[in-house]
Amino acid sequence: MSKQLRLDVAQLTDVGRKRPHNEDNMAYVIPKDPQVMARKGALFIVADGMGGHAAGEVASEIAVDTVSKVYYQDDSDDAAVSLLHAIKRANALIHQRAAENMMRSGMGTTCVAAVFRGGMAYIANVGDSRSYLVRRGVIKQVSQDHSWVEEQVRAGLLTREQARSHAQRNVITRCLGTQPDVEIDVFSERLEEGDSMVLCSDGLSGLVPDEELGQIVDQYLPQESVYHLVERANENGGSDNITAVVVRVQEVGWEPPSSSMPRPVGVGGREVDEDTAVIGQFRGAPLGALPARPGDTRLLSGPLRMASGPLPSSPEIDTAPQAAVSRLSSRRNRLLYPTLAIFVILVISLGGAAYYWIRGSQAQNIDASLTQTSTLINQAKGEMNTNPGDALQKLNQAQGRLAKVQEQGNSLSDTQRTQASTLQGNLTNVTKQAILSYDQQSHILPLPCTTTTQVSTLNEGTTNTHASSLAAVRNGNKDAFYVLGEDHNLYQLNDQMTLANKITLPGNAQPLMITSNDTRLLVLASLPAQGKDPAGYALYIYLPNGKGQASDNISIDAALTKDGGTPSLITTSGPEVYVVLTPQEASTSAVILNYTLNGDKFKALTPRQAKISVSAALVSIAALKNTQLFFLLANGNVQSQQFAEGNLTPVSVVLQPQPPLAPALAANPQTFQTTTPVPVPTEQTTSSLSVLSIPRATQLTAALVDNVAHLYIMDDQYDRVLDLKMDDAANQPATPTSTPTKGGTASSTKMIVVQQYASPVLLAKVKSLVIDPAAPQLYLLTQGADSNGAFQLAQVDTRPSDANTCAGA
């Protein structure tokens, strides 16, 4: 009976200490069916996404899911061919998904995958996620990084020591998703019992030296080693997401002979574009032999990649030549050697001619690529101010051509190498200007901006709690800030931004929600049952100079909540306060209560009421002084309606086409580096009007700024705040209505984009969003991206600013 492959596996991923989100993904599949295990083996994969929060996560998730499924669905018995098919399919899906969604333009991911079958491991990689083989304490990198510094090292332009500290060491030259097709490197390794293989993202390999990594994996079982590896990377800074998969071979299985012989593998079909790869090392080479030089393997026009060769299987390797087993007669010797000499001379002559013909043809192809690259860069330079989207398309193409030229390494002449270096500098400079032009035309402002943004860290003091929501109340010439703590207590921040002043509500009322109308704080609280009085809800008014004493309060009539209507949202504008009651059994309908203030008191005990029907649950509500309400639904749609007693049916807010709601690019002009993938925006919609829908919006707020109605939307998916304003030319001027018509209707509200404030760090975890229209200024309660999760108050001046004056996050 043949031996079965037995493995011990563990995997772990961590966000690290600097990033707000984990864009890494990992997976492994070990089939339970012995026949499937024998035929297809076990699969392990790590993917490191890029392109910003959500885009990077989506790309790496698609890679992991697609490779895991497609590999086992592939009919080929050749593990390497199936693995190539699966990764090619993942690349196509990621590229397609990016083209379908403007917000995910330029998203991509690295990928390193390994298949263990019988006594062999087949490893494929794209990007700088790595695979290592550890054998008896000796570690060897199996995969080959597709990064700028590694290519410079392979070309002899940088030393290994220089590469470790180079400013562009994190710039990759190849990944999944950014191009329709991708070149994949494939390697093979013969396995021995006790071997361990590590698949990891650069968040681990970039912070833990290879020798230390090998010692950890050799010393501990996989379940322990993954924790030690992640812990060590965090101790060394944790500057990136950290992911590790460790596989230890407990018993080597039997590998079918048909797939054990390495050979060129043609990967055909439209989807994979007839790529070619050499799988493994040459059979018969002694274990421990030096790997062939890269130049010796590049004999075909397609991409060829060789594995780096196995680690020595034993300290001593018998390399003695085999003894002769026959002897030729003297006559045959006399005929044989002259014949062989003539044959060798002929081969050398033909080979030399072929070599110089290939070298000449290769030089011509390189010169043509350099010329085409220069043309594309010059065309982009001419378009970057008028059509930056098209310019970025051309720059992306130029980058791809230049990367292929630079892969030639030592094949380049000195003149070609100088020309490529010059083009690389031009490409970087023009790309930065094109991104800046795109941001300016799309009204995108990266945060923090040195001229508009102030960030203060909140101090918990002795409360031992975090802030969950924020309200700002104008107190003379400055704002007073109130926060609702996660402990369900109300606090006022002091000048040191400390939760120092706890405000206790009368009668042990517990605050649930807070809002403000510029000069007053409104608190919605729950009331405990007392004697014969059942539990209920009440509204409280607080003034910033009121020394923590409520100036007035009003109880919400129990008859309004007896049928299960629970207060779920609150907003206010001027003297009007709106409370939304949502029945638990009907999330698409709600009752809106409208209370009116008279100075620091409630005007009447009985609120006006309106019933609202919507297509999805309400997520957030905002109000303007003309009694116009905005509603954010769970499906992302934004609707509007003026408040009126009776039945309300809000209508969609529509976005005017000028300027369009363009996505933020997956690159910042201030931080763009040499061969960072050039972002390519997808085409804008050409419709004259579009319904405003932000699928992962979390909060609305509205205000009149300079007598113009503004709506602010927090978009959690793309880490941005949208600033929209009423289109005065398309909307009739709204006037305050003291007695709205019963059963009032509304026409569509048309808005245009003023600004997009974007930051994958500062806006990654926004808890609360408020506006001070007098400044005008946005206040954001946000959780910082550092490891201790510090909460911050970000203040953003919303007056028009020049993106050229801002430094990206």
Side-chain angles (χ1 to χ4, degrees):
M1 184 175 179
S2 61
K3 295 176 64 177
Q4 298 294 321
L5 177 64
R6 292 194 304 114
L7 304 171
D8 185 15
V9 187
Q11 62 181 11
L12 185 64
T13 187
D14 186 78
V15 70
R17 294 183 173 179
K18 301 294 184 182
R19 298 292 178 90
H21 301 285
N22 193 342
E23 298 180 33
D24 287 0
N25 262 292
M26 61 185 179
Y28 68 87
V29 180
I30 301 180
K32 294 182 179 179
D33 189 331
Q35 294 183 348
V36 177
M37 181 67 173
R39 179 172 174 263
K40 302 295 289 186
L43 172 70
F44 311 88
I45 181 171
V46 167
D48 180 357
M50 64 201 69
H53 171 45
E57 292 177 7
V58 170
S60 62
E61 183 178 359
I62 293 174
V64 167
D65 291 346
T66 304
V67 173
S68 301
K69 293 175 183 176
V70 174
Y71 172 78
Y72 287 97
Q73 294 170 352
D74 193 271
D75 293 331
S76 176
D77 287 331
D78 192 313
V81 171
S82 295
L83 190 56
L84 282 169
H85 275 142
I87 298 176
K88 282 281 188 177
R89 180 59 179 161
N91 178 76
L93 287 176
I94 297 169
H95 188 265
Q96 177 184 353
R97 184 72 63 87
E100 292 172 349
N101 191 332
M102 292 186 298
M103 302 304 180
R104 291 173 179 163
S105 174
M107 76 175 181
T109 183
T110 68
C111 176
V112 59
V115 172
F116 282 42
R117 187 178 70 174
M120 295 293 295
Y122 302 92
I123 304 96
N125 81 289
V126 178
D128 61 354
S129 291
R130 290 184 179 180
S131 64
Y132 293 92
L133 181 64
V134 181
R135 178 173 294 163
R136 289 184 291 278
V138 180
I139 187 171
K140 178 188 69 177
Q141 181 179 335
V142 177
S143 60
Q144 190 175 80
D145 290 0
H146 303 136
S147 64
W148 186 86
V149 295
E150 287 297 322
E151 291 177 359
Q152 299 301 300
V153 170
R154 291 194 288 270
L157 302 178
L158 286 177
T159 66
R160 180 63 60 188
E161 291 71 22
Q162 291 171 330
R164 288 193 184 100
S165 58
H166 199 281
Q168 299 176 22
R169 60 188 179 276
N170 294 324
V171 174
I172 63 173
T173 56
R174 200 185 306 174
C175 67
L176 298 185
T178 57
Q179 300 293 333
D181 198 12
V182 66
E183 188 177 346
I184 305 165
D185 287 2
V186 184
F187 311 84
S188 73
E189 292 287 344
R190 191 169 297 281
L191 298 172
E192 293 183 8
E193 290 184 8
D195 284 352
S196 292
M197 182 163 286
V198 180
L199 306 182
C200 64
S201 61
D202 66 329
L204 175 63
S205 60
L207 293 176
V208 180
D210 291 1
E211 296 76 12
E212 186 176 2
L213 192 154
Q215 292 171 2
I216 292 174
V217 172
D218 188 61
Q219 181 179 356
Y220 299 98
L221 294 174
Q223 289 78 6
E224 298 172 312
S225 63
V226 291
Y227 284 98
H228 286 288
L229 290 172
V230 170
E231 181 182 37
R232 192 74 185 102
N234 274 323
E235 289 174 353
N236 290 343
S239 57
D240 201 352
N241 305 147
I242 309 161
T243 299
V245 177
V246 178
V247 188
R248 179 163 294 178
V249 180
Q250 296 177 319
E251 183 176 353
V252 175
W254 173 76
E255 174 75 1
S258 62
S259 61
S260 61
M261 178 67 74
R263 61 193 183 281
V265 178
V267 183
R270 293 182 181 180
E271 178 183 327
V272 292
D273 244 5
E274 300 183 356
D275 274 7
T276 305
V278 172
I279 311 300
Q281 62 178 66
F282 295 116
R283 285 180 62 84
L287 295 177
L290 292 174
R293 289 179 288 116
D296 296 338
T297 67
R298 297 183 178 272
L299 302 178
L300 301 181
S301 58
L304 293 178
R305 297 290 182 267
M306 294 296 297
S308 52
L311 293 170
S313 59
S314 60
E316 297 179 2
I317 302 175
D318 183 10
T319 58
Q322 299 292 322
V325 295
S326 61
R327 183 174 300 171
L328 300 176
S329 65
S330 59
R331 177 177 176 80
R332 293 180 64 185
N333 285 341
R334 286 194 300 271
L335 294 174
L336 175 63
Y337 292 122
T339 302
L340 287 176
I342 294 172
F343 178 75
V344 169
I345 293 172
L346 180 62
V347 169
I348 292 174
S349 300
L350 292 175
Y355 170 79
Y356 285 107
W357 181 83
I358 292 173
R359 287 284 291 178
S361 177
Q362 185 181 42
Q364 291 178 357
N365 290 337
I366 292 173
D367 288 339
S369 293
L370 290 172
T371 300
Q372 292 168 349
T373 300
S374 179
T375 300
L376 287 169
I377 293 174
N378 288 332
Q379 290 175 348
K381 188 174 182 179
E383 296 177 355
M384 64 184 181
N385 292 323
T386 57
N387 196 339
D390 285 353
L392 288 169
Q393 290 273 8
K394 292 181 172 62
L395 291 167
N396 183 276
Q397 297 173 20
Q399 187 182 53
R401 293 181 182 276
L402 190 57
K404 290 183 178 180
V405 169
Q406 291 173 327
E407 284 181 356
Q408 301 299 319
N410 292 329
S411 299
L412 299 178
S413 67
D414 290 341
T415 300
Q416 291 170 336
R417 190 174 290 110
T418 299
Q419 187 178 358
S421 178
T422 300
L423 288 174
Q424 187 69 75
N426 292 340
L427 174 67
T428 301
N429 292 332
V430 176
T431 300
K432 288 181 177 181
Q433 296 176 51
I435 295 173
L436 182 61
S437 177
Y438 177 90
D439 284 350
Q440 290 175 336
Q441 291 187 18
S442 303
H443 290 243
I444 296 171
L445 182 65
L447 296 180
C449 174
T450 55
T451 60
T452 66
T453 311
Q454 178 181 343
V455 180
S456 304
T457 300
L458 299 189
N459 189 339
E460 298 171 4
T462 59
T463 64
N464 196 30
T465 190
H466 294 310
S468 62
S469 61
L470 173 74
V473 180
R474 182 155 291 277
N475 183 17
N477 295 325
K478 67 176 184 177
D479 287 330
F481 298 104
Y482 296 86
V483 297
L484 194 61
E486 292 179 353
D487 60 355
H488 301 292
N489 286 314
L490 179 63
Y491 299 93
Q492 182 176 2
L493 298 178
N494 62 18
D495 292 340
Q496 289 73 42
M497 294 296 157
T498 301
L499 281 67
N501 303 320
K502 179 180 176 181
I503 299 175
T504 302
L505 274 62
N508 295 322
Q510 186 177 70
L512 301 177
M513 287 170 269
I514 58 176
T515 186
S516 68
N517 70 344
D518 300 342
T519 59
R520 299 168 184 82
L521 175 71
L522 278 299
V523 181
L524 175 65
S526 62
L527 301 175
Q530 294 183 352
K532 296 181 180 180
D533 295 331
Y537 301 94
L539 283 168
Y540 295 85
I541 302 174
Y542 285 88
L543 303 178
N545 56 358
K547 299 181 180 180
Q549 301 298 317
S551 64
D552 197 12
N553 68 85
I554 188 171
S555 296
I556 297 177
D557 190 345
L560 299 173
T561 60
K562 68 178 181 179
D563 296 328
T566 303
S568 58
L569 298 169
I570 184 173
T571 189
T572 180
S573 180
E576 308 300 331
V577 181
Y578 303 91
V579 177
V580 178
L581 304 181
T582 305
Q584 296 179 356
E585 69 279 3
S587 61
T588 57
S589 65
V591 174
I592 302 176
L593 306 180
N594 173 212
Y595 295 90
T596 301
L597 303 182
N598 183 12
D600 301 334
K601 305 293 182 181
F602 287 100
K603 186 175 182 179
L605 296 178
T606 303
R608 290 179 294 176
Q609 300 181 43
K611 293 184 179 180
I612 181 174
S613 297
V614 289
S615 59
L618 287 174
V619 173
S620 183
I621 182 174
L624 290 172
K625 290 182 179 180
N626 57 5
T627 72
Q628 185 165 14
L629 298 178
F630 293 91
F631 305 96
L632 172 63
L633 309 187
N635 58 11
N637 289 345
V638 180
Q639 298 183 339
S640 181
Q641 168 70 295
Q642 279 194 301
F643 179 85
E645 291 182 286
N647 296 319
L648 302 181
T649 303
V651 295
S652 295
V653 173
V654 294
L655 197 64
Q656 295 285 65
Q658 296 295 332
L661 184 58
L665 297 172
N668 187 305
Q670 285 77 27
T671 59
F672 183 84
Q673 297 182 353
T674 308
T675 49
T676 300
V678 174
V680 178
T682 54
E683 292 184 3
Q684 305 287 347
T685 178
T686 57
S687 60
S688 58
L689 295 174
S690 59
V691 173
L692 180 58
S693 182
I694 312 295
R696 281 180 55 180
T698 58
Q699 188 178 351
L700 300 178
T701 189
L704 288 176
V705 179
D706 295 330
N707 293 319
V708 177
H710 283 250
L711 178 67
Y712 302 88
I713 306 174
M714 181 61 225
D715 183 5
D716 183 60
Q717 184 171 7
Y718 300 110
D719 302 327
R720 63 180 178 176
V721 176
L722 303 176
D723 179 2
L724 313 176
K725 72 175 182 179
M726 290 279 196
D727 185 356
D728 293 333
N731 297 293
Q732 292 294 328
T735 57
T737 303
S738 58
T739 56
T741 303
K742 183 173 293 188
T745 60
S747 59
S748 296
T749 302
K750 299 177 179 62
M751 310 198 80
I752 60 176
V753 179
V754 177
Q755 193 72 272
Q756 297 188 61
Y757 303 96
S759 172
V761 177
L762 185 62
L763 305 183
K765 298 179 181 180
V766 174
K767 304 292 184 180
S768 193
L769 169 69
V770 297
I771 178 71
D772 175 7
Q777 194 157 237
L778 275 174
Y779 296 115
L780 300 107
L781 174 63
T782 177
Q783 187 173 7
D786 53 352
S787 59
N788 63 8
F791 282 70
Q792 300 170 325
L793 176 62
Q795 305 177 43
V796 182
D797 190 338
T798 62
R799 284 180 288 243
S801 58
D802 185 356
N804 283 297
T805 65
C806 295

